[in-house]
Amino acid sequence: MRVKATYAAAVCVALAAIATLPAQQAQQVPQQYDLLLKGGHVIDPRNRISAVRDVAIANGKVAAVAARIDPAGAVKVVDVSGLYVTPGLVDIHVHVFAGTGERGSYAGDNSLYPDGFTLRNGVTTVADAGCAGWRNFEDFKERVIDRAKTRVLAFLNIVGNGMRGGKFEQDLADMEAKPTADMALRHKGVIVGVKTAHYAGPEWAPVERAVEAGTLASIPVMVDFGTNRPERPVSELVTKKLRPGDIYTHVYSGLRNEQDESGRVNPALLEGRKRGVIFDVGHGGGSFLWRIAVPAMKEGFVPDSISTDLHIGSMNSGMKDMLNVMDKFLAMGMSLDDVMLRSTWNPAREIGHEELGHLSPGAIADIGVFRVEKGSFGFVDMYGARLKGTQKLSAELTLRDGKVVYDLNGVTRPDWNTLPKDYRQTGDSRWDAVTPAPVRRPGGQ
Ligand SMILES: [Zn+2]
């Protein structure tokens, strides 16, 4: 049965009750927006918004954010009241160079394919933290970066072979600034920084060459400071060796004198922060301790960015996923707005992707929709110590480039028994990347 409605009638009906309109009538209305998220609490720290707002999306971009946006102008309207709507999360420390088959290697079996851990947590962008160096980056790009639904960026390891294990990562001869910078410039925007990690020796060379490469390519350096060596103390790293904008990750590990003997934050870290050095969480399997983080947070030494250090050794440990790491900061008393700032706009800015991490009109519509669950929860650090909490984030809906890529409870979906007996795919490729049926033309089908 087909209903022929005049344009004016359709508009009137649509204004009254868009949600209940049969699809064919709704299509008579000119639709400016592909998707409208209605009634959620928007947290967009870059634009200083934390309030109930509607968010309209068109052509993969944020089209409008306002107190009330007319649902008649949208192909698809989703009620997200009671939920939080934020920019898609940006996790700048993950390990995702999977698929080579190399054992015991972060350019292989220690890494994970990203999509299984990202979209279901509201994460739309990750930066791989140095799994590949200039010798194997293009293999990584071909295997993972170009195939993932997640936006995958990368810090290029100063080691040409990347994180292939001890004998490679300790080889000073394979740490060359020039080829590293050249590769970074060849993949500008995808390679967002230079990584140095896991170095055990007393030399400063890995840090110095990473900084040299970062300077040549105009990108930041991320440091995992490896074995703690008195010849190269963290104080000198953050007050002298690193440039403003360079990133010290694993800040709450306590493994490299981040805390002094009195239990206070090493004053050098405060000085480093004044100089513009960035401090990142990088939780991982062995880089986050309550006895370091809790006193530091009480002292006001909060992280600039929250990140997971996701890999096979962390995914089922104290660290679970991005939301678990964010929950830990909620449990330590950080506000949800501040947690979101450190998981969206701050990390986006740190990696030079200022088009991400916010919901300004015209911005890429990477969006997370979250529920804050209340109850009794526990959060575990790297040595298996627990801190109890009462709040926990869960991801309801994730959009990448304006399209649904994850929908936990089917908030975008019709109930099955309201559909025709022989129903097929219910989506629409204008807003749906999960079950996208072709766009239905007005009067078509
Ligand atoms: Zn790591």
Side-chain angles (χ1 to χ4, degrees), residues 134 156 177-188 191 213 216-217:
W134 66 270
L156 196 61
K178 182 72 168 55
T180 303
D182 288 347
M183 184 58 73
L185 290 168
R186 197 172 306 154
H187 298 281
K188 228 177 154 84
I191 294 175
L216 287 170

Side-chain angles (χ1 to χ4, degrees), residues 93-95 106 129 163 195 197-198 224 249-250 282 309-311:
H93 191 153
V94 301
H95 295 279
Y106 287 89
M163 279 188 193
K195 178 87 186 283
H198 304 165
D224 161 331
T249 191
H250 306 315
D309 191 10
L310 177 74
H311 53 77

Side-chain angles (χ1 to χ4, degrees), residues 414-441:
D415 290 322
W416 75 274
N417 53 7
T418 63
L419 296 170
K421 264 191 189 141
D422 59 345
Y423 69 84
R424 300 283 174 94
Q425 277 166 313
T426 58
D428 178 319
S429 60
R430 283 170 291 189
W431 57 268
D432 184 9
V434 177
T435 55
V439 173
R440 296 190 180 95
R441 303 279 164 219

Side-chain angles (χ1 to χ4, degrees), residues 34 56-64 360-365 401-402:
D34 298 321
I57 293 147
N59 302 314
K61 302 280 165 51
V62 175
S360 311
I364 290 169
D401 291 313

Side-chain angles (χ1 to χ4, degrees), residues 119 122-124 367-368 395-400 403-406:
L119 309 176
V123 176
T124 48
I367 295 179
E396 280 289 334
L397 187 65
T398 307
L399 313 180
R400 181 176 163 187
K403 293 188 183 183
V404 174
V405 286
Y406 179 74

Side-chain angles (χ1 to χ4, degrees), residues 18 26 29-36 56 70-77:
I18 187 78
V29 182
Q31 283 142 344
Q32 189 183 354
Y33 306 127
D34 298 321
L35 183 60
L36 176 61
D70 188 347
V75 173
K76 177 75 181 178
V77 180

